[in-house]
């Protein structure tokens, strides 16, 4: 199988307009996998509590932060998301010389959610993930419809900086990014600039004879078995993403990031057996008097989806329209042997969007109207969010229902043009 993954991007001043950090990710997954947008409030947990992740049980933290997640609806973790402190995380599948672990442990997607729930800065999220990696390890099947194992890389951002964290089993390297642009995809990208690392990263490489201990240590070359001169020179999606980021460097906005995620020629907006099943763009202002704004699609193909804004405020309305059905202990993921059947996990927005896309394919004129109204809705929301950031005026009552109302408005576009189920 061709190695398939996602793409995650970050742009920091001076690459952006407005003294903001812009984060973006496309989640490329098996084409029929449903991705839901789900909110979890901040919670206090008693001492000694346990937490059931996708496959294993771990110790629960005493406090967890509020999070908004875009996640494959069959698992506990998430492909991408943000927390109430403006921390954003996205993960990628990566492969290298270190063997992937098939034994069930924490999935990379579990680590995304755990990092968001437990860390109020990007660097603390790095600490959280590597500590959990050391204690519990990473492993297990990453799909409910096929056999799919991989290591993980992470792009973690907050209002001040970003970190790249790349893992190979329990070993890892991290690079701090303080300005400019950076992206990760399905290959190791940390080379010789390593700001933090597993204490035995180099010793393990020497023991495996991947590194002689004398040449300059290059993580991507040593652990990824990749010619370092090819990292930004090949035609991979990583390289195409790198080119697009640099094309817009200095003028990056949330809209520009959305255009990158919609780019088909580069393969970043993926189609086929694997496709872009969900997308996210976040605006992280360095001015703490301004809110962070997180846009999610909750539907496949960002070119034919609406980016809808979410802002953390007290008493956020639960987002029922993008929450998938739950099956409790009867879920085929929970029962052993696992994955013996596959239930219908489509949420309300997914169903309406799926139906509308069929109309777009079969009726050119109606399809044109639907897409035009989708773009109008998105542009209205972008304009409203920019006004919030420019005028420093957030209507909290409006923000409580912001994402949910936008989802309802999107569903009305589909219902108006294609009828109702």
């Amino acid at each position: 199988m061709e190695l398939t993954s996602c793409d995650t991007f970050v742009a920091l001043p001076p690459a952006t307009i407005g003294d903001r950090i812009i984060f973006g990710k496309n989640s490329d997954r098996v084409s029929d996998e449903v991705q839901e947008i789900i909110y979890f409030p901040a919670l206090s947990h008693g001492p000694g509590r346990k937490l059931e992740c996708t496959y294993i049980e771990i110790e629960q933290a005493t406090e967890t932060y509020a999070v908004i997640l875009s996640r494959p609806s069959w698992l506990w973790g998430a492909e991408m998301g943000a927390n109430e402190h403006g921390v954003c995380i996205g993960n990628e599948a990566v492969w290298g010389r270190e063997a992937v672990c098939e034994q069930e442990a924490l999935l990379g997607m579990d680590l995304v959610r755990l990092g968001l729930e437990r860390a109020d800065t990007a660097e603390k999220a790095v600490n959280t993930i590597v500590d959990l990696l050391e204690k519990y390890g990473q492993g297990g099947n990453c799909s409910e419809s096929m056999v799919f194992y991989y290591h993980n890389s992470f792009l973690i951002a907050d209002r001040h900086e970003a970190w790249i964290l790349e893992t190979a089993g329990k070993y890892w390297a991290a690079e701090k990014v303080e300005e400019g642009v950076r992206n990760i995809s399905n290959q190791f990208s940390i080379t010789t600039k390593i700001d933090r690392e597993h204490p035995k990263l180099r010793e393990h490489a020497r023991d495996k004879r991947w590194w002689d201990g004398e040449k300059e240590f290059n993580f991507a070359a040593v652990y990824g078995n990749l010619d370092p001169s090819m990292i930004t020179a090949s035609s991979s999606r990583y390289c195409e993403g790198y080119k697009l980021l640099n094309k817009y460097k200095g003028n990056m906005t949330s809209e520009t990031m959305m255009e990158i995620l919609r780019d088909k020629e580069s393969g970043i907006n993926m189609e086929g057996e694997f496709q872009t099943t969900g997308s996210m763009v976040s605006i992280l202002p360095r001015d703490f008097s301004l809110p962070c704004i997180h846009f999610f699609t909750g539907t496949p193909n960002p070119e034919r989806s609406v980016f809808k804004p979410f802002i953390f405020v007290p008493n956020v309305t639960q987002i029922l329209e993008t929450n998938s059905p739950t099956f409790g202990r009867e879920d085929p993921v929970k029962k052993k042997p696992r994955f013996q059947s596959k239930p219908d996990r489509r949420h309300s927005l997914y169903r309406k969007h799926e139906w509308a896309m069929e109309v777009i394919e079969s009726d050119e004129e109606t399809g044109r109207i639907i897409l035009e109204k989708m773009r109008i809705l998105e542009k209205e929301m972008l304009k409203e969010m920019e006004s919030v950031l420019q005028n420093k005026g957030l209507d909290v009552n409006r923000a409580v229902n912001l994402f949910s109302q936008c989802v309802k408005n999107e569903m009305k576009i589909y219902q108006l043009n294609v009828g109702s189920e």
Side-chain angles (χ1 to χ4, degrees), residues 131-188:
D131 288 349
L132 290 164
L133 195 61
E134 184 68 27
K135 189 169 185 178
Y136 299 104
Q138 63 176 319
N141 193 9
C142 300
S143 171
E144 69 170 335
S145 58
M146 62 185 293
V147 177
F148 196 32
Y149 300 98
Y150 49 77
H151 304 299
N152 288 268
S153 67
F154 305 87
L155 198 161
I156 309 168
D158 61 21
R159 290 177 182 262
H160 291 295
E161 62 193 28
W163 284 82
I164 309 297
L165 172 62
E166 297 184 336
T167 71
K170 70 176 183 179
Y171 301 98
W172 56 272
E175 177 185 348
K176 186 177 183 179
V177 184
E178 296 180 274
E179 64 176 22
V181 295
R182 193 72 160 76
N183 64 308
I184 59 173
S185 191
N186 61 310
Q187 63 187 56
F188 292 120

Side-chain angles (χ1 to χ4, degrees), residues 17 33 43 63 84-85 94 123 141 147 157 187 189 219 225 227 279 323 368 373 404:
I17 293 175
E33 185 179 78
L43 292 172
E63 304 282 337
E84 61 184 298
H85 296 286
V94 288
E123 186 168 11
N141 193 9
V147 177
Q187 63 187 56
S189 64
F219 177 74
N225 193 24
D227 180 349
S279 303
N323 288 188
R368 183 188 63 76
K373 290 187 175 183
S404 184

Side-chain angles (χ1 to χ4, degrees), residues 36 38-41 43 45 51-54 58 60 63-73 75-83 87-91 106-119 125 128-129 132 154:
E36 64 178 341
I38 190 163
Y39 168 79
F40 294 99
L43 292 172
H45 309 275
L51 170 65
E52 189 174 342
C53 299
T54 301
I58 68 170
Q60 177 62 287
E63 304 282 337
T64 52
Y65 299 126
V67 296
I68 179 80
L69 306 174
S70 184
R71 70 175 187 178
S73 56
L75 49 69
W76 180 85
E79 276 280 286
M80 52 199 171
N83 71 18
V87 178
C88 298
I89 308 179
N91 80 308
L106 289 175
L107 294 179
M109 292 169 280
D110 294 335
L111 291 166
V112 169
R113 179 171 172 180
L114 289 164
L116 291 170
E117 287 189 340
R118 301 182 180 196
T128 298
I129 291 171
L132 290 164
F154 305 87

